Structure formats: C-alpha cells, structure tokens
Amino acid sequence: MQTELSKQLGVEHAVFGFTPFPAVAAAISRAGGFGVLGAVRYTAPDDLARDLDWMQEHVDGRPYGLDVVMPAKKAEAPGNRTLTEADVEAMIPAAHRRFVEDTLTKHGVPSLAEGEASGWRITGWMEQVARGQLDVAFDYPIKLLANALGSPPADVVARAHDKGVLVAALAGSARHARKHADAGIDIVVAQGYEAGGHTGEIASMVLTPEVTDAVAPLPVLAAGGIGSGEQVAAALALGAQGVWLGSVWLTVTEADLHSRALTRKLLAAGSGDTVRSRALTGKPARQLRTEWTDAWDDPQGPGTLPMPLQGLLVAEAVSRIQKYEVEPLLGTPVGQIVGRMNSERSVQGVFDDLTRGFESAVTRLNRIAGRG
Ligand SMILES: Cc1cc2nc3c(=O)[nH]c(=O)nc-3n(C[C@H](O)[C@H](O)[C@H](O)COP(=O)(O)O)c2cc1C
C-alpha cells in the first residue's frame, strides 16, 4: 500500500492512524504505518513531553506525527482578551448545570471523591493550550502536524515548515479543503460523515474525489468509515494518496480506554449505533448513541452550548460516567465502522488484515478488468 506520499514520508504503508494513546501511535508506526498522537487531552505541557519521550523510545526510529485542535473560529473574551478557562466557566448558564446534575441523578451516577480531579477535562481546543502543546512538540522530530478544526494559524504553518514538518488539516467539504490549500497546508484529510469525532455532512464516497479534484496536486488522505483493506483500496481508487483511520484503533489490545464496559459496548455495537451529536463538545461529533446523547438531543431539553462551553460543562459528568462505568450513559467518539470492530486485535493484527484485504481487492479488480 505505497503511494508517493508514503514514500516521501518513508513509511511502508500509506495508512495514517490517529489515536489519543501513545502506545497505539507507536505501534502503528512500528507496523509500517504513520502513527499520529492526538494531543487535545494534554493540558499540562510536561505530560505531553513525557509521552513524546516515551514515543521516541518506542517507534524504532520510524516517523510519527502530532494532532492538535485549533479551531479556526475562536471565541474571544470581552475586550479582545484571550479566553481563559475561568471566562468560559462564567459563561455557562445555571440551567444547563442543573440539567447535567439532574440527568446524572436520574441514572444514579455517584460524585467524584472530594478533591478528585475530573480526568476528562479537554481544554486543548483553546488556542493558548494548543500553542503550549506545539512549543513542546517542536522539540521532537515529528514529521507531521495535523489540525482538526480548520487551517492552523499562518505563524504555526510557517513554524512547522521551518522545522521541515508537513502540515495536514481535516476537511469535511471541498470548500474547506480549498481554504486549507490557500493557507499553505501540505496534506488534506478528507473526512466523511461516517467518521468518528467532529464530522461534516458529506459521505466519504462523495467527498474523497471532490476534495482530490479541488486541491490537486496536493495529496489527500481519505478518512471516515475505513476499517478494512478493501476500503483502503476503494479510497485509493477514488484518488486518495493514503487513508487516515481513527475508530478502528479504539479496540486494539494496546489501547487504554480505562473501561472494559466501554470496550465491550464498542465490540457489540452495530454501524447504526452512532449519532452525530453536539453533546460532547458543542460541535457535531459522531459518537456512540447513548442515553446521554439522547438527553442532549431531546428537543424538550435545554440543548447544547457552543464550543468551548459545552466541553467544560460536561467534563466532570463524563469523568463520572466513565469512572463508575454507568453503561446506559457510557460512550465515546466513534464512527460507523464500529459495526465491523467485533474482536480485539493488536495493531499489527489490524495491519495484517488491512494488507490481506487490500491484496484480495486488487486481485479481484484485476480479474474484473481482465488482467489476471
Ligand atoms: C475517539 C476519537 C477521537 C478523535 N479525536 C480527534 C482529535 O482530537 N483530532 C482530530 O483531528 N481528529 C479526531 N478524531 C477523528 C480522527 O482523526 C479521524 O479523522 C476519524 O476517526 C476517521 O474516521 P473513522 O473514525 O471512521 O476511522 C477522533 C476520532 C475518534 C474515534
């Protein structure tokens, strides 16, 4: 599964893997793919440095990258000040806080112990936090910097290029992809509606060729709904120079979801068991459908708040749900490919299956084309 882009980056397979877990990212790079560590959960720069140190020791010299979440549209505090976490907390209406508590009480979710910090406190989509992550990351030999919610600011692109780091950005439409090209981005990740996490409304089958045409000759990676080698072959047939997978790594043996109940839920879920909901972050993100997403999507409820308010509003609640494994509410971002994630495999096992499936698709297509 080699393309010009995989050769340029020095990897065996044009398979890019996004994951929040260093052990998974390192295993993806060791297996011949390109591991990309999601940085959004790192609020303390030292924690990111510790995990990048670990990655350095465990990638066997293979290339890897980092993904940050810098929203193109950022919220501003009064007087054009940079928004702090305290500003955001102060903007959350009391009625929304009550709704969170009432929903947790209805499901008997215990409180955290006195002084116990909320583990799920994602503030990495606040620009100053993401910039702190970049200050750390540029001291490591990362080969790729990806951004989730728009083109990164011009100074960040310039800084990456000065260091010889390629810049990728996710796009859910050809219009977004063109904006990335205009901003000097090197690789566009065309992420379809099926994908786990923040997604647009266009399915990968339609989006991949549209984006490929829109930004040619820039390389495009296809993302969303890819979990087998046959799907990799389809994406490459549509013009992509590689694939970008996220969901499939959630149930690998190297992943650390901290919850067997959640792993069991993912393994049992079908492709119709996800929903694109604003419940987690305030922007539409595909995730497991649960009684928690249903409560937020219920027209009788208060509705969600915009990013970054919603993320802070639900942070402690999500930690409580995860800690006490309250199954009806327990969820995670994941895409429709969850329906094919039915057994736990190692990262190497996923790569073995991807290569086998890819070869069988190519053989089949060659036969159909009368070439073998
Ligand atoms: C649990 C999870 C968390 C994600 N978080 C991010 C993120 O922080 N930044 C980002 O660029 N993409 C994120 N994504 C999206 C992935 O980068 C990727 O585009 C997507 O998973 C591809 O579609 P798939 O889920 O069908 O493989 C996340 C996806 C999942 C499943």
Side-chain angles (χ1 to χ4, degrees):
M1 296 183 282
Q2 285 213 343
T3 63
E4 271 170 48
L5 182 64
S6 65
K7 287 184 199 149
Q8 183 188 345
L9 283 165
V11 292
E12 195 184 334
H13 303 300
V15 175
F16 293 69
F18 167 92
T19 169
F21 307 116
V24 179
I28 292 168
S29 290
R30 284 200 309 272
F34 191 99
V36 181
L37 179 67
V40 73
R41 72 190 167 90
Y42 293 94
T43 42
D46 286 353
D47 292 345
L48 179 59
R50 184 204 54 220
D51 282 0
L52 287 175
D53 280 339
W54 187 92
M55 291 259 306
Q56 250 329 94
E57 282 166 26
H58 291 85
V59 289
D60 293 353
R62 311 286 178 98
Y64 63 93
L66 191 83
D67 176 283
V68 294
V69 181
M70 279 189 157
K73 285 192 209 131
K74 53 184 172 183
E76 265 174 11
N80 277 355
R81 250 185 327 108
T82 313
L83 201 69
T84 64
E85 210 174 310
D87 292 324
V88 179
E89 291 282 5
M91 288 157 76
I92 297 173
H96 279 78
R97 294 197 189 276
R98 265 197 312 277
F99 180 73
V100 169
E101 269 318 309
D102 289 350
T103 310
L104 295 175
T105 307
K106 195 171 126 197
H107 287 88
V109 183
S111 302
L112 295 178
E114 186 77 20
E116 189 179 357
S118 160
W120 196 92
R121 190 168 188 82
I122 293 188
T123 50
W125 50 58
M126 297 176 72
E127 186 170 329
Q128 74 273 28
V129 178
R131 282 188 181 273
Q133 294 163 350
L134 292 176
D135 289 341
V136 171
F138 282 131
D139 282 340
Y140 291 81
I142 56 168
K143 291 279 180 284
L144 179 86
L145 173 68
N147 190 42
L149 295 175
S151 310
D155 66 299
V156 171
V157 177
R159 199 171 161 198
H161 286 166
D162 280 351
K163 300 243 173 209
V165 175
L166 292 179
V167 182
L170 275 69
S173 71
R175 190 173 60 85
H176 283 156
R178 264 185 236 108
K179 278 193 181 171
H180 292 332
D182 292 344
I185 268 56
D186 307 292
I187 301 167
V188 176
V189 181
Q191 197 200 236
Y193 174 82
E194 309 91 319
H198 294 119
T199 62
E201 296 189 26
I202 307 169
S204 300
M205 187 75 167
V206 172
L207 184 70
T208 309
E210 264 187 24
V211 170
T212 307
D213 283 352
V215 300
L218 281 191
V220 171
L221 300 176
I226 300 173
S228 73
E230 288 82 351
Q231 287 162 327
V232 175
L236 298 183
L238 292 173
Q241 283 238 8
V243 291
W244 174 279
L245 278 55
S247 292
V248 82
W249 315 113
L250 289 174
T251 49
V252 293
T253 45
E254 294 89 339
D256 188 8
L257 279 182
H258 295 298
S259 164
R260 285 307 297 168
L262 184 54
T263 302
R264 275 197 306 274
K265 261 186 123 167
L266 287 169
L267 294 172
S271 51
D273 290 334
T274 71
V275 63
R276 197 167 155 268
S277 166
R278 295 178 187 266
L280 205 54
T281 69
K283 280 185 188 289
R286 186 169 297 287
Q287 52 203 288
L288 270 187
R289 182 176 171 190
T290 65
E291 290 185 28
W292 179 251
T293 61
D294 284 352
W296 284 106
D297 295 336
D298 185 347
Q300 310 297 323
T304 53
L305 297 172
M307 183 183 252
L309 278 66
Q310 182 73 12
L312 279 186
L313 169 65
V314 302
E316 187 182 316
V318 171
S319 292
R320 284 163 63 182
I321 294 164
Q322 287 177 348
K323 174 169 179 188
Y324 298 107
E325 300 195 312
V326 184
E327 292 216 20
L329 304 180
L330 191 60
T332 172
V334 71
Q336 294 178 340
I337 196 67
V338 71
R340 301 293 291 269
M341 291 156 49
N342 307 126
S343 63
E344 282 178 271
R345 296 172 285 175
S346 63
V347 166
Q348 184 60 56
V350 172
F351 270 87
D352 292 345
D353 288 345
L354 289 176
T355 355
R356 231 186 335 265
F358 180 78
E359 274 158 18
S360 106
V362 172
T363 307
R364 185 164 170 270
L365 290 175
N366 271 331
R367 212 171 34 236
I368 293 169
R371 295 203 189 93

